[in-house]
């Protein structure tokens, strides 16, 4: 290395150190500068440099990259080895251009930005469009918005930057697009029209001012002053506007408010319906009354002006039957403001009773704003004697058990098989249901489902007593009631029992296609196969002009295969009844069965030739024949003759839907393998309170029972002394209990028991053990005062309800009751719906709390059952009611100006500002920053072209 090169290198390094030092001094002298306030670029660094420049401020957001300027001396050092033969002046110019090029790139990397302040404002108008806002008030809001749009246009013409957004809200907020400038704003959309647009199912029966303000936060662009204008009546039904207004201040959002003018619409509404008077039960709150005692219901009614109306009070679904001389309907003249009316009433049946007051017959010139608030509901809880529904297949024999239950303290309603209600709501008043000797064919699927729901979900008791038409012999195999009972019907044949061979002869002629008769016949055949024991024999013969053996005679245990063969039954041609009887005779003649039976189904007519003789031969061979006719086309004379000579029964029905029931009934008549008609005595299997005091050693024998098997979790209490099969079995099902008595309760199998004193004692105690726990508590005095009842306190913020129960022992001990397992049942009054169960948690010593949401409006009965101990013993019950007849939106309240004023003050806003005042930016200035890295890059591009030119073209000689 020559001395000259070493000197240039030393000078280069010194220059690089000098430049780095100058940059360091610049960073120390001009920084660090913190980023500006709202609207600042979040990418700004803490060591940002700020330099004054032509009335603005120039910032370098990445100033540390200026250290790259230290590479400039390296360009001069590299010039030492340049091989070009340009003049010194051109080489010096080229070096300067190259240095400026590198400097421009470094300045661009340092991210230069211009910073200043501006006045730019964005306002979001929040308009309440819920049902409580009238059309006149919405027109007032539209006028305010148009004033804001005109003021915005004027400010834009003066060069001011403004932005306007519109949000309408009820239960939820929605952004609405404003029309272009110069186009008038149309009517503000109601929730119903919003639902059509966004498929959200929006309703207008709620006002959530908090949610509307929260939506506004996402509409403000950066770098603009944030304001909101709330137009509402201030009657919020959800959320907390004041809390959100405090949060808005922290987000630099100023909330201005403007209250709608008070409504001048016609309006009547029932504010509340309460229970009071001498019938109110002490300790149960206003919702509890004594059975048969008079009490009063007080209605508070508001009217905007004097108007005549009719007030009607309903008890459950009928007009109040104990309303005095005026009854439950009263014509009144409502005065402006509050009106109070009282209605006398009385309840003669225990249970949950719903009341509803309705305003009607308003004059034509009275334009009522809301029809939904013209009624209110209340619920009363009436404690009394437990009510038992006793459904007996043979009503004439119902007096024996009914007398025993009444002597045990229960109110007993005796009905026939058709009297079982088909809804859980209609069963709600009964604490125990007794079903005795009723075949399954007499009950519809709805009746069975309602009974199962009443026991599982309603907590009621269920007792099923035996007989010729009960359990498996009655066709209950595979039904919902079999799942409810603690036994199985598919008994193991440990005894010698009669076996059955059953042949079904089904008409498949063309007329059987009408009204779905052939499909119903298939269903009937499958049902008959299900009823039979696995060892019984069954076959199916289809016939038209000819007979075809569809299912060869085989054991009924092959149910899947039998069902598949029955499904192959298709319609054919004419009708020949002799042919299937011939086929049935040949198949049954050689069958090894003690009972041989034929069921013939047809809807047409056929020749009489040879039928009487063949049926007579079948009867001599101990083959019985029953006949079923469907529709007017059936030959009743022929079918009656077949049934009489064949030793069977004749059935006729106009409705083909009855065919499965007829087949089930006929099959159960001949399939009696589960019935054991021999003397047996009860043997105690397990001691229980239901058996206390009953001397079974002195009990006479029972003359028969139905053979069953207990399920794994069942509790057998009594069994037969001969075979050990169950007589009395019980278990818990959901919230209720179910038990079965496999003998009967009347003068056939239990004929000798009817004179025995233990009969009444046993069944009275059995009924009491199965009663719904509510009835048991009320019959023993619980549910009123004392240690067996704890008050229910409710806090309603519709649709949310908070329940609190303080479990404190009686006034003597006065202690908190810990460790209760508490479940709350919420039952709608007057509606066919099952109770909803809400668990309550112990949140403090003796305090139990829980929350639930109302999915509908109306009155609800509350019942809390408190259990304790490993067995879940019921120790107390709490009862109460809650009523939300309609949304709070329909209360017709005046505008809440105080709430809107407090919300504006909390955020630093104004009340009732004009359009000019709301859009005036005032002294608020928003810092702005715009990066300017593009000019240095453009300059570097030009310098690059010039540098290439200076290195390729000789410009200076």
């Amino acid at each position: 290395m020559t001395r000259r090169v070493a000197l240039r290198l030393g000078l280069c390094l010194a220059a690089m150190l000098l430049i780095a030092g100058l940059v360091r001094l610049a960073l120390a002298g001009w920084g660090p500068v913190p980023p500006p306030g709202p609207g600042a670029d979040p990418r700004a660094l803490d060591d940002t440099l700020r330099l004054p420049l032509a009335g603005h401020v120039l910032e370098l957001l990445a100033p540390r990259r200026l250290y790259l300027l230290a590479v400039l001396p390296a360009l001069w050092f590299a010039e030492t080895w340049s091989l070009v033969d340009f003049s010194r002046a051109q080489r010096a110019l080229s070096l300067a251009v190259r240095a400026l090029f590198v400097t421009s790139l470094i300045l661009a990397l340092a991210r230069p930005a211009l910073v200043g302040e501006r006045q730019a404002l964005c306002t979001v108008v929040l308009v309440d469009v819920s049902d409580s806002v009238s059309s006149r008030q919405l027109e007032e809001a539209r006028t305010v918005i148009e004033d804001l749009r005109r003021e915005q246009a004027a400010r834009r013409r003066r060069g001011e930057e403004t932005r306007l957004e519109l949000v309408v809200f009820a239960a939820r907020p929605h952004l609405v697009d404003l029309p272009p400038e110069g186009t008038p704003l149309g009517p503000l959309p109601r929730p119903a029209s919003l639902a059509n647009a966004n498929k959200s199912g929006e309703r207008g029966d709620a006002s959530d001012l908090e949610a509307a303000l929260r939506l506004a936060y996402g509409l403000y662009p950066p770098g603009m002053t944030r304001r909101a204008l709330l137009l509402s009546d201030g009657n919020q039904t959800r959320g907390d506007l004041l809390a959100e207004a405090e949060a808005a201040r922290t987000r630099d959002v100023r909330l201005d408010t403007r209250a709608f003018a008070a409504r001048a619409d016609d309006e009547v509404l029932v504010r509340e319906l309460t229970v009071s008077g001498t019938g109110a039960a002490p300790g149960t709150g206003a919702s509890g009354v004594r059975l048969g005692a008079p009490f009063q219901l007080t209605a508070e009614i508001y009217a905007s002006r004097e108007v005549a109306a009719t007030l009607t009070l309903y008890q459950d679904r009928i007009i109040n039957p104990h309303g005095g001389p005026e009854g439950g309907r009263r014509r009144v003249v409502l005065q402006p403001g509050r009106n109070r009316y009282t209605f006398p009433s009385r309840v003669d049946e225990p249970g949950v009773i719903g009341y509803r007051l309705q305003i009607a017959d308003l004059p034509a010139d009275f334009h009522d704003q809301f029809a939904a608030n013209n009624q209110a509901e209340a619920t009363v809880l009436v404690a009394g004697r437990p009510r038992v529904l006793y459904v007996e297949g043979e009503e004439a024999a119902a007096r024996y058990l009914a007398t025993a239950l009444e002597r045990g303290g229960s109110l007993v309603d005796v009905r026939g098989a058709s009297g079982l209600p088909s809804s859980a709501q209609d069963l709600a008043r009964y604490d125990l249901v007794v079903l005795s000797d009723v075949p399954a064919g007499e009950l519809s699927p709805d009746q069975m489902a309602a009974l199962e729901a009443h026991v599982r979900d309603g907590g009621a008791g269920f007792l099923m007593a035996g007989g010729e038409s009960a359990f498996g012999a009655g066709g209950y195999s595979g039904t919902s009631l079999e799942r409810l009972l603690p036994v199985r019907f598919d008994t193991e044949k440990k005894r010698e029992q009669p076996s059955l061979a059953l042949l079904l002869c089904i008409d498949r002629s063309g007329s059987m296609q009408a009204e779905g008769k052939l499909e119903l016949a298939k269903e009937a055949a499958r049902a008959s196969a299900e009823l039979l024991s696995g060892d019984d024999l069954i076959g199916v013969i289809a016939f038209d002009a000819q007979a075809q053996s569809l299912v060869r005679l085989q054991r009924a245990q092959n149910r899947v295969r039998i069902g598949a063969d029955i499904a192959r039954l298709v319609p054919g041609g004419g009708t020949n009844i002799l042919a299937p009887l011939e086929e049935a005779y040949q198949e049954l003649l050689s069958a090894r069965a003690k009972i041989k039976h034929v069921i013939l189904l047809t809807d047409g007519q056929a020749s009489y030739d040879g039928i009487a003789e063949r049926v007579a031969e079948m009867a001599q061979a101990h083959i019985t024949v029953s006949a079923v006719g469907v529709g007017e086309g059936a030959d009743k004379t022929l079918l009656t003759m077949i049934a009489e000579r064949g030793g069977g029964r004749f059935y006729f029905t106009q409705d083909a839907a009855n065919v499965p029931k007829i087949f089930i009934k006929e099959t159960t008549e001949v399939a009696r393998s589960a019935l054991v008609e021999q003397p047996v005595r009860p043997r105690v299997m397990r001691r229980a309170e239901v058996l206390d005091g009953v001397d079974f050693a002195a009990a006479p024998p029972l003359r028969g029972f139905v053979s069953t098997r207990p399920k794994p979790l069942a509790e057998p209490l009594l069994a037969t002394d001969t075979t050990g099969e169950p007589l009395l079995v019980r278990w818990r099902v959901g919230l209720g209990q179910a038990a079965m008595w496999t003998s009967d309760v009347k003068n056939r199998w239990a004929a000798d028991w009817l004179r025995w004193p233990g009969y009444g004692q046993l069944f009275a105690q059995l009924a009491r053990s199965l009663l719904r726990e509510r009835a048991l508590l009320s019959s023993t005095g619980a549910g009123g005062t004392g240690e067996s009842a704890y008050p229910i306190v409710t806090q309603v913020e519709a649709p949310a309800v908070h329940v609190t129960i303080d479990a404190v022992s009686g006034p003597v001990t006065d202690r908190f009751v810990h460790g209760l397992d508490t479940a709350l049942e919420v039952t709608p009054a007057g509606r066919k719906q099952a109770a909803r169960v809400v668990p309550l948690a112990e949140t403090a010593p003796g305090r139990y709390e829980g929350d639930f949401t109302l999915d509908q409006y109306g009155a609800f009965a509350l019942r809390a059952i408190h259990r304790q101990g490993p067995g879940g013993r019921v120790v107390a019950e709490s009862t109460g009611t809650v009523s939300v007849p309609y949304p709070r939106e329909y209360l017709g309240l005046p505008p809440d100006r105080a709430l809107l004023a407090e919300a504006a003050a909390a955020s630093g806003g104004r009340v009732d500002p004009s359009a000019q005042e709301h859009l005036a930016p005032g002294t608020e200035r928003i810092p702005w920053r715009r990066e300017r890295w593009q000019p240095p890059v453009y300059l570097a591009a030009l310098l690059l072209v010039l540098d290439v030119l200076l290195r390729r073209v000789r410009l200076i000689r």
Side-chain angles (χ1 to χ4, degrees):
M1 179 184 297
T2 65
R3 183 175 181 180
R4 182 181 177 184
V5 173
L7 179 60
R8 291 175 68 93
L9 178 59
L11 291 176
C12 177
L13 294 175
M16 295 176 69
L17 292 175
L18 178 61
I19 293 174
L22 292 175
V23 171
R24 181 178 180 84
L25 288 175
L27 292 177
W30 295 328
V33 178
D41 189 338
R43 298 171 296 176
L45 304 176
D46 291 340
D47 55 358
T48 298
L49 290 182
R50 176 174 291 189
L51 304 171
L53 178 66
H56 293 89
V57 174
L58 176 65
E59 289 186 350
L60 295 180
L61 302 182
R64 295 185 183 278
R65 295 172 184 171
L66 292 178
Y67 282 114
L68 295 175
L69 292 174
V71 304
L72 293 177
L75 299 177
W76 171 71
F77 179 76
E79 186 67 18
T80 304
W81 286 278
S82 176
L83 300 178
V84 297
D85 58 352
F86 292 152
S87 64
R88 285 179 176 270
Q90 185 166 343
R91 290 171 61 186
L93 180 60
S94 176
L95 179 61
V97 169
R98 195 170 304 166
L100 288 175
F101 168 73
V102 174
T103 302
S104 299
L105 291 180
I106 293 173
L107 286 177
L109 291 174
R111 293 178 56 197
L114 287 178
V115 176
E117 291 183 341
R118 66 173 180 173
Q119 288 185 320
L121 183 143
C122 177
T123 185
V124 180
V125 184
L126 310 172
V127 182
D128 188 348
V129 294
S130 60
D131 290 347
S132 64
V133 178
S134 67
S135 298
R136 181 180 58 80
Q137 291 171 327
L138 285 185
E139 186 61 28
E140 174 188 341
R142 195 176 73 86
T143 301
V144 172
I145 297 172
E146 288 290 13
D147 290 343
L148 290 171
R149 296 182 68 203
R150 285 191 291 269
E151 178 65 19
Q152 179 195 26
R155 290 183 177 275
R156 281 182 174 176
R157 286 192 294 270
R158 295 197 297 266
E160 298 181 16
E161 187 175 355
T162 61
R163 183 170 177 173
L164 192 64
E165 301 286 354
L166 176 60
V167 172
V168 298
F169 68 91
R172 289 185 293 181
H174 300 274
L175 178 65
V176 177
D177 294 330
L178 288 170
E181 186 175 330
T183 304
L185 178 66
L188 295 174
R190 286 282 192 177
S193 60
L194 286 170
N196 294 334
N198 56 33
K199 308 297 183 184
S200 64
E202 175 73 11
R203 300 186 306 173
D205 59 359
S207 298
D208 194 339
L209 281 65
E210 176 188 351
L213 185 53
R214 292 176 68 87
L215 176 63
Y217 300 153
L219 301 178
Y220 295 111
M224 301 189 77
T225 301
R226 303 178 177 187
R227 290 190 186 169
L229 176 61
L230 175 61
L231 305 175
S232 173
D233 58 7
N235 295 316
Q236 60 180 349
T237 60
R238 298 180 186 174
D240 188 345
L241 176 62
L242 288 180
E244 196 57 41
E246 293 284 354
R249 178 191 286 272
T250 64
R251 296 172 180 263
D252 298 307
V253 177
R254 195 187 83 184
L255 175 65
D256 294 345
T257 60
R258 189 184 185 99
F260 290 133
R263 303 176 60 125
D265 305 304
D266 291 338
E267 182 63 35
V268 295
L269 60 94
V270 185
R271 287 191 180 273
E272 62 179 353
L273 182 64
T274 57
V275 180
S276 61
T278 58
T284 61
S287 62
V289 298
R290 294 192 183 96
L291 185 66
F295 61 94
Q296 292 181 339
L297 291 102
T298 302
E300 182 178 318
I301 302 173
Y302 168 83
S304 59
R305 63 181 175 91
E306 182 178 308
V307 62
T310 300
L311 307 182
T312 306
L313 180 68
Y314 294 89
Q315 184 188 81
D316 283 342
R317 301 176 184 177
I318 62 174
I319 297 177
N320 181 26
H322 306 294
E326 295 181 330
R329 182 176 282 118
R330 188 180 303 178
R331 187 68 180 173
V332 298
V333 177
L334 300 174
Q335 301 301 316
R338 296 188 176 186
N339 301 262
R340 295 177 67 88
Y341 297 94
T342 58
F343 296 83
S345 188
R346 188 178 77 245
V347 178
D348 296 328
E349 296 182 356
V352 179
I353 308 298
Y355 282 89
R356 178 169 59 89
L357 181 71
Q358 180 78 44
I359 303 176
D361 299 334
L362 296 169
D365 62 345
F366 190 89
H367 303 290
D368 190 23
Q369 183 68 19
F370 300 122
N373 60 12
N374 291 1
Q375 65 178 11
E377 299 181 10
T379 301
V380 295
L381 308 176
V382 186
R385 296 169 62 189
R387 181 173 288 279
V388 178
L389 175 62
Y390 177 18
V391 181
E392 173 60 61
E394 186 182 352
E395 288 191 69
R399 64 182 186 274
Y400 307 110
L401 182 61
T403 301
L405 297 179
E406 288 173 349
R407 288 177 180 175
S410 299
L411 294 172
V412 183
D413 289 351
V414 178
R415 299 184 185 179
S418 60
L420 183 66
S422 58
S423 71
Q425 180 66 27
D426 293 334
L427 283 169
R429 67 181 59 199
Y430 296 106
D431 303 295
L432 172 65
V433 178
V434 179
L435 198 64
S436 171
D437 203 15
V438 177
E442 298 292 330
L443 302 179
S444 68
D446 289 342
Q447 289 174 307
M448 293 188 187
L451 181 55
E452 182 181 14
H454 183 49
V455 178
R456 288 185 183 275
D457 304 326
F462 175 52
L463 171 63
M464 190 171 188
E468 293 182 343
S469 301
F471 310 136
Y476 286 94
S477 297
T479 65
S480 58
L481 290 190
E482 183 186 21
R483 296 192 299 269
L484 194 65
L485 290 172
V487 295
R488 290 194 176 98
F489 302 148
D490 52 342
T491 59
E492 298 176 356
K493 294 189 175 182
K494 299 180 180 179
R495 306 173 303 276
E496 181 64 29
Q497 296 178 348
S499 58
L500 167 68
L502 176 65
L503 262 175
L504 308 177
C505 298
I506 299 176
D507 187 352
R508 67 171 183 181
S509 60
S511 60
M512 286 291 288
Q513 296 185 72
E515 301 177 5
K517 288 183 284 188
L518 192 61
E519 291 300 321
L520 289 168
K522 294 181 185 179
E523 179 184 339
R526 285 191 289 264
S528 296
E530 290 289 338
L531 286 173
L532 298 181
S533 171
D535 292 334
D536 293 330
L537 303 177
I538 186 172
V540 179
I541 297 174
F543 69 92
D544 44 16
Q546 303 293 328
Q548 175 191 1
S549 182
L550 195 66
V551 178
R552 285 291 178 183
L553 199 62
Q554 58 186 281
R555 293 187 179 274
Q557 64 186 10
N558 303 324
R559 290 183 172 87
V560 175
R561 176 181 173 185
I562 292 171
D565 289 341
I566 293 174
R568 296 188 293 107
L569 182 59
V570 293
T575 304
N576 181 3
I577 294 179
L578 179 60
L581 292 177
E582 290 276 7
E583 183 71 20
Y585 176 66
Q586 296 299 328
E587 288 197 34
L588 290 176
L589 190 62
S590 59
R592 300 181 59 184
K594 294 186 176 181
I595 300 175
K596 302 177 182 180
H597 188 68
V598 177
I599 302 178
L600 173 70
L601 170 69
T602 182
D603 69 339
Q605 302 183 8
S607 172
Y608 284 49
D609 294 342
I611 293 180
E613 293 78 5
R614 174 53 66 197
V615 173
E617 292 180 13
M618 296 173 73
Q620 291 178 0
H622 303 290
I623 300 174
T624 56
V625 184
S626 292
V628 181
V630 184
E632 289 294 340
D635 191 339
K636 299 179 185 178
T637 303
L638 174 61
L639 297 178
T640 302
M641 181 269 292
I642 292 174
E644 289 179 351
R645 296 198 177 190
R649 288 156 292 277
F650 169 63
Y651 302 90
F652 175 77
T653 179
Q654 293 276 16
D655 188 358
N658 293 325
V659 170
K661 293 183 179 180
I662 294 174
F663 267 55
I664 291 173
K665 179 178 177 62
E666 178 62 16
T667 303
T668 55
E669 288 290 334
V670 296
R672 297 295 186 182
S673 61
L675 303 184
V676 183
E677 295 191 291
Q678 63 185 32
V680 294
R681 293 182 182 273
R683 178 165 57 90
V684 177
M685 300 295 293
R686 180 178 301 178
R687 299 304 307 180
E689 72 284 353
V690 66
L691 306 179
D692 290 345
V694 182
D695 185 10
F696 290 101
L702 294 164
R703 300 183 181 181
F705 66 97
V706 182
S707 178
T708 59
R709 285 194 300 162
K711 292 179 181 177
L713 299 179
E715 182 184 12
L717 301 179
L718 295 176
T720 63
D721 61 339
T722 55
T723 62
E725 292 182 88
L727 279 175
L728 178 60
V729 189
R730 69 179 180 182
W731 72 349
R732 178 166 290 279
V733 183
L735 298 177
Q737 295 186 83
M740 63 169 298
W741 172 253
T742 60
S743 186
D744 65 9
V745 291
K746 49 194 178 184
N747 56 347
R748 181 178 178 181
W749 293 340
D752 298 330
W753 273 42
L754 300 179
R755 298 183 296 273
W756 174 52
Y759 172 84
Q761 182 180 0
L762 172 64
F763 286 105
Q765 293 178 178
L766 177 60
R768 185 173 182 80
S769 70
L770 297 174
L771 285 175
R772 182 161 40 189
E773 289 153 346
R774 179 190 68 190
L776 183 61
L777 290 170
S778 62
S779 65
T780 57
T785 58
E787 294 192 6
S788 296
Y790 310 126
I792 292 181
V793 178
T794 58
Q795 295 177 337
V796 182
E797 293 185 5
V801 180
H802 181 75
V803 177
T804 303
I805 300 177
D806 288 322
V808 182
S809 58
V812 178
T813 56
D814 194 20
R815 291 178 294 124
F816 294 118
V817 182
H818 301 282
L820 296 179
D821 182 10
T822 299
L824 178 72
E825 296 178 4
V826 184
T827 306
R831 290 181 288 275
K832 296 183 178 181
Q833 294 183 14
R836 180 166 37 146
V837 179
V838 179
L840 301 185
E842 186 173 8
T843 59
R847 169 160 290 192
Y848 300 85
E849 296 182 275
D851 297 276
F852 63 92
T853 301
L854 299 175
D855 54 2
Q856 58 187 325
Y857 295 101
F860 300 83
L862 307 179
R863 181 171 72 103
I865 298 297
H866 308 278
R867 293 181 171 87
Q868 197 171 44
R873 182 177 62 89
V874 177
V875 296
E877 180 185 69
S878 302
T879 57
T881 61
V882 63
S883 179
V884 184
Y886 47 80
R888 187 174 179 271
E889 193 75 20
Y890 301 151
L891 273 177
L893 300 172
D896 194 343
R897 298 180 181 274
L899 173 67
L900 296 178
E902 291 180 29
S907 67
R910 302 179 181 181
V911 177
D912 295 336
S914 64
Q916 293 80 5
E917 292 172 337
H918 181 71
L919 293 180
T923 60
E924 298 180 57
R925 294 181 178 273
I926 301 298
W928 58 269
R929 174 186 286 113
R930 296 187 182 92
E931 291 198 34
R932 288 293 181 260
W933 54 266
Q934 298 92 340
V937 172
Y938 298 154
L939 178 60
L942 291 175
L943 291 172
L944 178 62
V945 174
L946 182 57
D947 180 50
V948 172
L949 180 65
L950 289 173
R951 284 185 290 140
R952 293 290 185 270
V953 179
R954 188 183 304 274
L955 299 178
I956 303 175
R957 295 185 180 274

